[in-house]
Amino acid sequence: MSHPKPTTLADPAPAPAAVAGAEGERAWTRDELAEDPHRDAGKPEKVRRMFGAIAHRYDLNNHLHSLWMDQLWRRAAVRAGGVGPGTHVLDVACGTGDLTELMARAGAERVVGADYTPEMLDLARRKLRRIAPARRANVEYVQADAQQLEFDDDSFDVVSIAFGIRNVERPELALSEFRRVLKPGGRLVILEFSEPRFAPIRWLSGIYLKKIMPLTATLIARDRSGAYRYLPRSVETFLSPEELSGAIEGAGFADLTVRRMGMGVCSCYRAVSPA
């Protein structure tokens, strides 16, 4: 039976604060980030406003502060999804479309990039011009809430989300939606930051993530939203790899595997939607 399509969050019009640029208002205060940002009642709108503010330097900061490892991690996600000719892909929290484009370049028949932030989608659409027209024709970008997807049941072979599950207000709802829109046997692929297990690497990663990156990324983006202070705090307070694995299996997925990459800084979760 097909799931009814929601109407309230299909293409939400951004509130005035949601379209703030680099010179826009603050999304997160230091006091708010001293607490758990995932418990903040205003998290969804703050996240959207935050990403709207940093969209113009998002790719540069991603590549620079990961030493371009983020692209390798995204390519690993494409391989984990088994993307190829005939594959239908939904890339959730697609941002400026880096993973969406890689899915299209891998030969997917249809790729939908979905994101909550209009400014990110605007950049993704402009970037799409750089790939071959034949691949470009298979890509569509839509504004959507991961917790209430406007797609029919059993619509996709692969659902991916790269570094976005922790930004969702209720990850368990998003995981339930991912399973709903996946075909039986479809693959879920999640990339998310994690804490390295090796103590010296964990210590160095913590210094970089909490002290160095927030300063340099904020300067590059000329950001006033607090985005790059939110990032390390959101990683620190989010589900551990074990807890996220439990949530994935709790949503009904099977055959879960977790691959740690980048000396444990990033984890790739792959699971299957059972028949």
Side-chain angles (χ1 to χ4, degrees):
M1 183 174 67
S2 180
H3 183 88
K5 294 184 178 182
T7 56
T8 55
L9 292 173
D11 192 9
V19 295
E23 289 75 29
E25 67 180 88
R26 188 177 303 278
W28 297 95
T29 68
R30 291 184 183 276
D31 287 344
E32 288 169 339
L33 292 177
E35 304 297 330
D36 183 349
H38 303 300
R39 297 180 180 275
D40 192 301
K43 178 185 172 181
E45 191 54 44
K46 289 177 181 179
V47 166
R48 180 156 62 178
R49 188 160 72 245
M50 173 189 80
F51 280 115
I54 64 173
H56 66 301
R57 289 290 184 269
Y58 184 73
D59 287 344
L60 175 60
N61 268 325
N62 275 356
H63 303 334
L64 181 63
H65 288 95
S66 71
L67 303 178
W68 276 261
M69 291 292 290
D70 64 312
Q71 293 298 78
L72 295 178
W73 298 336
R74 288 183 174 89
R75 290 189 178 96
V78 175
R79 294 192 296 272
V83 178
T87 310
H88 288 218
V89 180
L90 173 63
D91 182 28
V92 184
C94 67
T96 61
D98 277 4
L99 181 54
T100 312
E101 288 183 18
L102 288 174
M103 296 291 191
R105 291 177 190 271
E109 182 176 324
R110 179 193 182 203
V111 188
V112 179
D115 200 275
Y116 200 51
T117 305
E119 293 87 346
M120 289 288 192
L121 292 169
D122 289 343
L123 283 171
R125 293 183 181 108
R126 289 201 292 271
K127 284 169 57 177
L128 194 56
R129 301 168 189 160
R130 68 189 183 184
I131 73 172
R135 300 296 189 205
R136 189 187 314 158
N138 298 339
V139 179
E140 172 189 3
Y141 285 112
V142 299
Q143 190 176 2
D145 185 332
Q147 302 166 118
Q148 199 172 11
L149 296 169
E150 195 171 279
F151 301 104
D152 290 336
D153 297 0
D154 306 336
S155 296
F156 297 96
D157 302 292
V158 176
V159 171
S160 61
I161 180 167
F163 310 109
I165 191 68
R166 76 179 186 285
N167 296 321
V168 176
E169 183 179 19
R170 297 183 62 188
E172 72 278 6
L173 290 183
L175 291 168
S176 177
E177 280 291 87
F178 299 164
R179 187 183 172 199
R180 179 183 67 77
V181 301
L182 273 171
K183 299 175 184 177
R187 286 83 67 196
L188 170 68
V189 181
I190 298 175
L191 292 179
E192 193 49 84
F193 292 115
S194 53
E195 272 201 338
R197 289 172 174 165
F198 187 48
I201 299 298
R202 185 168 62 247
W203 180 80
L204 288 172
S205 175
I207 293 294
Y208 180 72
L209 193 63
K210 297 174 186 178
K211 301 295 184 182
I212 300 172
M213 184 279 297
L215 176 61
T216 54
T218 296
L219 290 172
I220 289 170
R222 295 182 293 112
D223 176 50
R224 297 180 183 176
S225 72
Y228 292 104
R229 290 193 305 275
Y230 163 85
L231 171 59
R233 187 63 178 147
S234 69
V235 173
E236 183 181 28
T237 55
F238 189 56
L239 303 174
S240 68
E242 293 75 21
E243 290 168 333
L244 181 53
S245 295
I248 293 168
E249 292 176 332
F253 287 96
D255 301 328
L256 173 66
T257 60
V258 183
R259 177 189 173 195
R260 287 180 173 261
M261 301 181 291
M263 294 183 290
V265 169
C266 172
S267 293
C268 180
Y269 305 77
R270 182 192 186 277
V272 176
S273 179

